[in-house]
Amino acid sequence: MAVPLSPRNQHRFSVAVVGLGSIGGVAAACLAEADRHEVIACTRAPLERLTLEREDGATMRMLEFPLRSLADPAAAKPVDWVLLCTKTHQTESAAAWLARLCTPQTRVAALQNGIDHVARVGPLTNGATVLPVIVYYNGERLAPDRVRMRQAGKYDLVVADDASGRAFAKLLDGTGLRILISDDFTTLLWRKLLINAIANPITALTLQRQAVLRRPDIQELCHAILAEAIAVARANGARVAEDEASRSIATLMTFSGELGTSMYFDRLAGRRMEVEALTGAIVAAGERHGIATPVNRALLALLRAVNDAAGKAG
Ligand SMILES: NC(=O)c1ccc[n+]([C@@H]2O[C@H](COP(=O)([O-])OP(=O)(O)OC[C@H]3O[C@@H](n4cnc5c(N)ncnc54)[C@H](OP(=O)(O)O)[C@@H]3O)[C@@H](O)[C@H]2O)c1
């Protein structure tokens, strides 16, 4: 039988959330609400409070929490856990935080899209253990101190069924975040990437919301992108279905055409887009396995050109 958590029988960990945007803001607020650990936000500007808007049935609940934040990496001390929640291309810019927060005993949960979390984050963490986390919830930063969370499906986060994944799930006990501990994490990682690899580039390059994915000619393009990406996914050990391409497209058709994507919003705002971790990861993994990816490579060239025009990392 589970032992009920009480301040006396639980261990309070120190948890640093690096990047208090849409995903990090929600994670920090959920941890603050549970009040089981010492949470510190590592931000570029100081913050004292955080408001979480969360759908509760038909109503939107507003929850406000006091927040400890640091805006200078030099003031950071080693912690038990880091939740790294920057965009993937901002990981390097968070290196000063990671250098101060991490020791070999630290666990770094990377709540980022893509498939290469360990390779991207590992070299910056002083030998800490890096664990990739798939994010299923939708986060939206409404202001620097206000985030909105929308939950869809059965789970909010997915981790691998290993010691770090299980420790992460325990860390978030009591937060209300629904965590799937998966024994086929690689497949779920790729499944998420397949959806991102069509919706993000197409909406960003056409500057149209997801309704554009309903055009028959665009659906043909989606199938071409996915055929390459699925071959690469299989070579990487993902056990994707025979009809995975149709499933990915069908999933996207369940979303409102009014929705954007993160690349679309980043392009609209003139910010850099997460190109290398999505389309770039498919092309790079294809190269490693000797699988040609000409359609993804063409998208990558276009996206890189847009990114370069957007200037410095946003
Ligand atoms: N949003 C979603 O619903 C969603 C869903 C699934 C997966 N994801 C993935 O989750 C990851 C995070 O995305 P997001 O939507 O949360 O991005 P976001 O809203 O842009 O948040 C990123 C945050 O990181 C901060 N940051 C960047 N560099 C920093 C640094 N050096 N030091 C401190 N803070 C820094 C940014 O601060 P500034 O405000 O100062 O720039 C921003 O607050 C991405 O990989 C994304 O693809 C997002």
Side-chain angles (χ1 to χ4, degrees):
M1 199 175 116
V3 181
L5 290 168
S6 78
R8 255 186 246 115
N9 64 11
Q10 65 176 278
H11 179 75
R12 281 181 89 81
F13 288 107
S14 48
V15 185
V17 181
V18 177
L20 211 75
S22 312
I23 293 306
V26 169
C30 291
L31 281 164
E33 183 183 19
D35 192 21
R36 288 190 48 223
H37 306 294
E38 303 303 325
V39 180
I40 186 144
C42 300
T43 55
R44 294 203 257 219
L47 280 179
E48 288 178 0
R49 307 200 70 73
L50 182 63
T51 300
L52 172 69
E53 296 187 6
R54 188 169 58 202
E55 275 172 9
D56 191 0
T59 54
M60 189 66 82
R61 280 176 71 205
M62 310 277 179
L63 304 160
E64 198 181 314
F65 308 99
L67 189 73
R68 265 186 73 212
S69 77
L70 289 177
D72 178 5
K77 301 257 183 320
V79 291
D80 299 310
W81 280 89
V82 174
L83 271 47
L84 178 64
C85 305
T86 65
K87 289 264 172 72
T88 49
H89 57 268
Q90 296 167 325
T91 303
E92 273 285 337
S93 82
W97 286 113
L98 296 171
R100 300 288 298 196
L101 294 165
C102 295
T103 71
Q105 284 71 49
T106 305
R107 283 191 163 115
V108 180
L111 280 69
Q112 294 180 321
N113 270 332
I115 51 169
D116 298 321
H117 307 67
V118 176
R120 181 171 54 245
V121 182
L124 309 174
T125 58
N126 298 329
T129 303
V130 177
L131 68 139
V133 180
I134 307 174
V135 181
Y136 283 166
Y137 65 77
N138 178 270
E140 186 180 352
R141 182 172 43 169
L142 304 169
D145 61 353
R146 178 176 285 260
V147 285
R148 180 178 292 157
M149 175 192 201
R150 289 193 187 84
Q151 293 172 296
K154 276 165 67 181
Y155 297 104
D156 300 311
L157 298 167
V158 188
V159 287
D161 188 4
D162 56 24
S164 293
R166 288 190 292 273
F168 181 77
K170 234 174 156 179
L171 181 81
L172 295 192
D173 259 356
T175 60
L177 289 167
R178 303 159 308 166
I179 302 181
L180 172 63
I181 300 177
S182 171
D183 59 6
D184 194 4
F185 186 73
T186 302
T187 300
L188 299 186
L189 205 57
W190 274 91
R191 233 174 228 149
K192 176 102 201 269
L193 181 61
L194 295 177
I195 302 253
N196 278 328
I198 45 179
N200 276 281
I202 291 173
T203 53
L205 289 170
T206 60
L207 276 177
Q208 294 182 49
R209 291 177 183 249
Q210 292 192 30
V212 72
L213 302 170
R214 289 170 163 72
R215 290 172 58 101
D217 50 0
I218 291 290
Q219 294 218 346
E220 240 176 76
L221 174 60
C222 290
H223 275 284
I225 296 168
L226 288 171
E228 294 175 4
I230 286 168
V232 177
R234 288 208 173 102
N236 272 266
R239 295 188 301 175
V240 289
E242 279 307 310
D243 60 346
E244 194 71 40
S246 304
R247 286 192 196 197
S248 302
I249 294 169
T251 300
L252 279 169
M253 294 305 103
T254 65
F255 302 160
S256 160
E258 288 304 306
L259 288 179
T261 63
S262 87
M263 264 194 203
Y264 167 83
F265 289 119
D266 282 343
R267 183 168 183 208
L268 270 188
R271 294 188 295 257
R272 286 184 80 84
M273 306 176 290
E274 278 187 308
V275 169
E276 300 304 328
L278 304 181
T279 306
I282 292 167
V283 171
E287 272 169 17
R288 286 198 294 274
H289 291 282
I291 296 169
T293 55
V295 178
N296 283 279
R297 200 177 273 282
L299 290 178
L300 183 58
L302 293 169
L303 292 166
R304 281 179 174 163
V306 174
N307 252 1
D308 287 349
K312 66 180 179 60

